[in-house]
Amino acid sequence: MKIAFFSTQSYDKEYFTRYNTRHELVFFEAPLNETTVALATGCNAVCAFVNDKLNATVIQQLAGLGIQLIALRCAGYNNVDLNAAQTYQIKVARVPAYSPHAVAEHAVALILALNRKTHKAYNRVREGNFSLDKLIGFDLYGKTVGVIGTGKIGEVFCDIMKGFGCRVLAFDLVANKHLEAKGVEYLPLVTLLPQCDIISLHCPLTEQTRHLINTDTINLMKQGVMLINTSRGALIDTKATIHALKTGQIGYLGIDVYEQEEKLFFYNLSEEIIPDDDIMRLMSFPNVLVTSHQGFFTDEALTQIAQTTLLNIDDFESGKPLVNKVI
Ligand code: NAI
């Protein structure tokens, strides 16, 4: 099959080329939208990522070009109009899971860096400043960590924090029996929040979880709490969080995801004027660490993403059931 890849980065090209044996891959840097859809002319499938726009207009145009499959190289499919795909009989497949360790370990990296200020120490020492002033951290051992969402990633994260000697509390709609057996205690959110020194979010973005972290829930937290979000930006009400950073209610914030990340993350904007005042305010705090959605970014995860996406395409081509189909 001939597949048009949109929003291609150098690493997409590298990993997909490495594992592809039978398809013709055409890589475009442009995101998929109404103005770029014609690039898929002559292809049988498109391969899209989180910020590609697969709305009804784009899907109608893809159908007009003869596209039969949308192969998403990500887990989420909130950017695809599934009704339109159904109407035009275009199949949609995804990569439902890839290295939970990658994201859990990145959450831990944010905790360690925020706590021991390694990013600041690195810059200081490079400039010949060997002072320890203001670099003081705290022992993780014995601290209480709250985990919201204990699915694949949350489970790995709980295990790691247990390894540090932390007391781990959890909130989820369904308790994970393996974690309970290891001493993780499930509590209602309002009971969990006031007890935690560190809170890490690992639940999906749904109507129930949108702005789960808001003024009311922040006010339940311990003064000076460390908040970590590697899940989805909109779990956090950004403006309420900025206010809590200003008052000191939130003492540390580590985020790999951001409510308005579509226009920022994955792009080099170092020579641009960034119009988003909230991200600029967040980055101005000395106790905030922002990374641009790189939790998934490990060799193992990229390998799994490429292999599963190519397998989805193989199965579609050979008429086998699409195990990872969305529709
Ligand atoms: P999962 O589906 O295995 O686990 C999600 C857990 O959240 C489940 O246990 C579920 O019961 C729980 N949950 C659902 N609604 C809830 C609610 N209202 N309150 C509390 N818990 C709730 O998902 P997985 O693989 O662990 O991924 C978690 C999230 O991590 C994803 O939804 C995604 O947003 C994010 N993610 C981030 C990446 C990154 O690069 N930063 C990469 C991959 C995923």
Side-chain angles (χ1 to χ4, degrees):
M1 286 179 74
K2 187 169 176 183
I3 302 128
F5 279 65
F6 287 87
S7 301
T8 311
Q9 301 283 347
S10 57
Y11 48 84
D12 296 313
K13 213 170 170 174
E14 184 188 329
Y15 279 78
F16 276 88
T17 306
R18 188 185 303 168
Y19 293 106
N20 175 46
T21 49
R22 47 193 276 202
H23 305 289
E24 187 183 343
L25 314 183
V26 193
F27 296 104
F28 300 108
E29 282 178 27
L32 176 56
N33 55 40
E34 290 91 339
T35 49
T36 60
V37 61
L39 291 169
T41 305
C43 294
N44 319 97
V46 292
C47 183
F49 197 49
V50 289
N51 293 330
D52 288 316
K53 219 195 264 175
L54 287 138
N55 59 22
T57 315
V58 170
I59 289 178
Q60 183 187 17
Q61 287 174 284
L62 287 174
L65 296 175
I67 296 295
Q68 302 151 32
L69 173 70
I70 295 167
L72 297 168
R73 54 180 192 277
C74 54
Y77 48 87
N78 52 299
N79 53 335
V80 184
D81 185 327
L82 295 179
N83 288 331
Q86 198 131 36
T87 304
Y88 292 101
Q89 296 185 332
I90 298 181
K91 294 263 180 265
V92 182
R94 65 181 183 130
V95 183
Y98 43 85
S99 182
H101 301 278
V103 186
E105 289 170 14
H106 190 68
V108 178
L110 291 175
I111 293 172
L112 291 171
L114 274 169
N115 176 21
R116 304 304 293 268
K117 303 166 181 64
T118 18
H119 51 312
K120 294 185 185 184
Y122 172 79
N123 284 325
R124 275 193 197 182
V125 169
R126 276 166 64 91
E127 292 184 0
N129 176 358
F130 298 97
S131 153
L132 298 184
D133 190 36
K134 308 278 186 216
L135 294 184
I136 193 159
F138 56 84
D139 285 4
L140 286 175
Y141 179 82
K143 295 294 182 296
T144 300
V145 179
V147 185
I148 301 180
T150 50
K152 292 179 284 297
I153 296 170
E155 179 169 359
V156 174
F157 178 79
C158 287
D159 283 339
I160 299 173
M161 298 320 289
K162 275 274 177 201
F164 277 108
C166 294
R167 174 179 174 230
V168 180
L169 306 179
F171 170 69
D172 198 308
L173 304 177
V174 194
N176 177 324
K177 299 273 172 257
H178 301 295
L179 289 176
E180 278 186 320
K182 291 178 194 168
V184 172
E185 194 184 339
Y186 280 83
L187 294 173
L189 193 59
V190 291
T191 318
L192 174 145
L193 293 176
Q195 300 190 46
C196 298
D197 302 292
I198 299 169
I199 294 167
S200 193
L201 308 179
H202 298 287
C203 58
L205 177 63
T206 64
E207 279 319 303
Q208 286 138 27
T209 61
R210 182 175 295 276
H211 287 191
L212 182 78
I213 305 301
N214 54 46
T215 304
D216 293 340
T217 48
I218 290 170
N219 286 338
L220 290 173
M221 296 177 193
K222 262 190 189 176
Q223 171 87 13
V225 67
M226 182 187 288
L227 179 63
I228 304 292
N229 186 10
T230 56
S231 275
R232 283 294 177 265
L235 294 178
I236 288 184
D237 178 340
T238 306
K239 291 204 189 299
T241 304
I242 289 173
H243 177 72
L245 282 159
K246 282 159 89 171
T247 63
Q249 175 67 13
I250 294 179
Y252 310 79
L253 176 72
I255 53 172
D256 187 48
V257 287
Y258 168 63
E259 263 189 298
Q260 316 293 340
E261 71 178 50
E262 296 79 19
K263 295 198 176 93
L264 303 169
F265 287 7
F266 308 128
Y267 300 109
N268 178 359
L269 304 177
S270 54
E271 298 300 321
E272 312 280 326
I273 305 296
I274 295 176
D276 185 326
D277 291 342
D278 287 344
I279 194 79
M280 297 315 281
R281 184 67 181 103
L282 281 175
M283 292 191 303
S284 74
F285 289 102
N287 51 351
V288 173
L289 189 50
V290 182
T291 52
S292 60
H293 210 138
Q294 68 175 79
F296 74 100
F297 203 52
T298 65
D299 177 53
E300 289 79 358
L302 289 173
T303 299
Q304 224 167 335
I305 290 169
Q307 289 178 335
T308 307
T309 306
L310 290 165
L311 185 73
N312 290 341
I313 296 167
D314 290 350
D315 286 351
F316 175 80
E317 187 182 38
S318 32
K320 288 189 192 157
L322 268 181
V323 283
N324 297 316
K325 75 171 179 197
V326 181
I327 55 157

